[in-house]
Amino acid sequence: MTTQLEAPGITVAKAGGAIGAVIGNVQLGGDLAPATVAAIRQALLDHKVIFFREQHHLDDAGQLAFARLLGTPTLAHPTSRSVDGAANVLPIDSDYSKSNSWHTDVTFVDRIPAISLLRAVTLPAYGGDTTWANTVRAYANLPQPLQALVERLWAVHSNLYDYAGHADEGRIGGIDVKFEEYQKEFESKLFETEHPVVRVHPETGERALVLGHFLRRFVGLSSAETTALFQLLQNRVTNLDNTVRWHWQPGDLAIWDNRATQHYGVADYDDQPRRLHRITLAGDVPVSVDGVRSTPRTGDASHFSDVDN
Ligand SMILES: O=C(O)CCC(=O)C(=O)O
Ligand SMILES: [Fe+2]
């Protein structure tokens, strides 16, 4: 059955040719009409990341109420602590973490969140943009022989931090205690999951690459071979032509389809404080082009999130 939607009156303006759109003429909250929610969801599926300006009225409760219209919130994180008094809200705070590495959120569990909603709380006077990349487009633009290769390939993702792969002076070696504490908490329980490198999007049917910084090794390849192939594929994802970069202003909210994107928090704001609040929505377990589901190898993520079917 198809339902005719009322014209909800929102505006959708592309923010780039590859990914991203700015949505206007809407005040976000838990009271939006179903037709408006449907239009926002469609814009998200079409553009992979959508941006809303001037949402100054939103606090954690308002962000959560709106998020619930799009899905079922997960806990803030499988291991990291939430904002005080808000179990579904993850603080992204420059005091103890900087996400300056390309990733898709929480790919070390089987039930990867479907959608993430990120709201500006405290912004630096300069820098601190976030960049998103389109993993559907990256797959689609691969030459056919490489598509054939990755469609049969699987990879292990883990939350165990790869210090060698992501060396960051000033944080390694106990120089920054807060970062080290956060990292310990992040790794306090080990998760390892085998995912297909190409997943079929449960809503659009599109094929997307599943890579990013939680990927530890391709199944059947050595670490040297993993590094070589990972660089080839990951470069396709993060090529600037395949990205959109957002300069945060007070009142901004960004929503991305975590099944079709990677993102990177640019850490170019010196020692200024920067804080954003994130809510993630439950996702399905990825499915390969052959219909095979991802398999958890270590850790049980059922406390973190339902599986959305
Ligand atoms: O700090 C940023 O810009 C990105 C943070 C991030 O990775 C996230 O919210 O999932
Ligand atoms: Fe993230």
Side-chain angles (χ1 to χ4, degrees):
M1 194 186 78
T2 49
T3 312
Q4 200 63 41
L5 299 177
E6 296 283 307
I10 67 166
T11 60
V12 180
K14 286 183 78 153
I19 175 173
V22 181
I23 312 297
N25 201 30
V26 60
Q27 170 151 342
L28 299 178
D31 56 353
L32 293 180
T36 305
V37 177
I40 290 171
R41 186 172 200 95
Q42 192 57 52
L44 177 64
L45 295 175
D46 291 344
H47 300 286
K48 319 303 188 207
V49 57
I50 52 178
F51 306 104
F52 300 82
R53 296 274 198 203
E54 306 294 340
Q55 306 296 320
H56 301 277
H57 58 285
L58 285 181
D59 54 9
D60 288 339
Q63 184 181 354
L64 187 60
F66 168 61
R68 286 188 195 285
L69 299 178
L70 293 172
T72 307
T74 67
L75 283 188
H77 193 267
T79 52
S80 301
R81 80 193 69 167
S82 71
V83 169
D84 280 343
N88 310 105
V89 183
L90 182 74
I92 307 285
D93 194 311
S94 55
D95 239 12
Y96 42 79
S97 77
K98 290 183 178 174
S99 302
N100 55 336
S101 177
W102 281 102
H103 65 284
T104 297
D105 289 334
V106 204
T107 61
F108 46 86
V109 301
D110 56 347
R111 57 212 61 204
I112 300 174
I115 293 171
S116 300
L117 302 92
L118 190 62
R119 180 171 61 88
V121 176
T122 305
L123 296 174
Y126 56 83
D129 296 358
T130 306
T131 301
W132 283 264
N134 184 337
T135 57
V136 168
R137 189 174 178 275
Y139 165 83
N141 285 343
L142 284 175
Q144 202 281 327
L146 278 184
Q147 288 185 345
L149 185 155
V150 292
E151 281 164 11
R152 296 291 175 279
L153 193 63
W154 286 64
V156 177
H157 294 237
S158 162
N159 61 326
L160 196 63
Y161 198 67
D162 175 6
Y163 289 95
H166 302 282
D168 187 351
E169 53 182 294
R171 291 185 215 165
I172 308 298
I175 295 165
D176 188 319
V177 174
K178 277 188 198 154
F179 269 93
E180 199 171 84
E181 272 173 14
Y182 184 82
Q183 203 55 47
K184 268 202 196 120
E185 184 176 292
F186 192 91
E187 295 174 350
S188 56
K189 191 173 183 318
L190 177 65
F191 291 93
E192 290 178 305
T193 303
E194 264 182 50
H195 291 296
V197 172
V198 179
R199 70 176 293 185
V200 180
H201 193 290
E203 290 186 74
T204 65
E206 293 174 312
R207 295 178 174 191
L209 294 174
V210 186
L211 300 162
H213 82 177
F214 299 119
L215 189 151
R216 287 294 158 269
R217 60 193 155 81
F218 293 112
V219 175
L221 299 194
S222 71
S223 63
E225 291 165 338
T226 291
T227 300
L229 183 58
F230 180 79
Q231 278 181 1
L232 187 163
L233 297 171
Q234 184 69 12
N235 285 348
R236 288 290 188 133
V237 173
T238 63
N239 182 300
L240 288 177
D241 297 345
N242 193 46
T243 66
V244 66
R245 180 165 173 151
W246 187 249
H247 183 64
W248 292 94
Q249 292 178 7
D252 283 359
L253 180 93
I255 309 178
W256 60 95
D257 186 339
N258 200 47
R259 302 159 295 190
T261 54
Q262 287 188 34
H263 54 281
Y264 183 112
V266 183
D268 62 345
Y269 46 97
D270 298 323
D271 292 327
Q272 301 174 80
R274 175 180 184 271
R275 185 178 172 101
L276 301 100
H277 282 186
R278 187 183 89 186
I279 293 171
T280 46
L281 301 179
D284 65 325
V285 175
V287 175
S288 75
V289 299
D290 307 313
V292 182
R293 281 156 59 101
S294 301
T295 314
R297 291 292 176 216
T298 310
D300 174 1
S302 54
H303 71 291
F304 163 63
S305 168
D306 292 340
V307 174
D308 181 64
N309 285 308

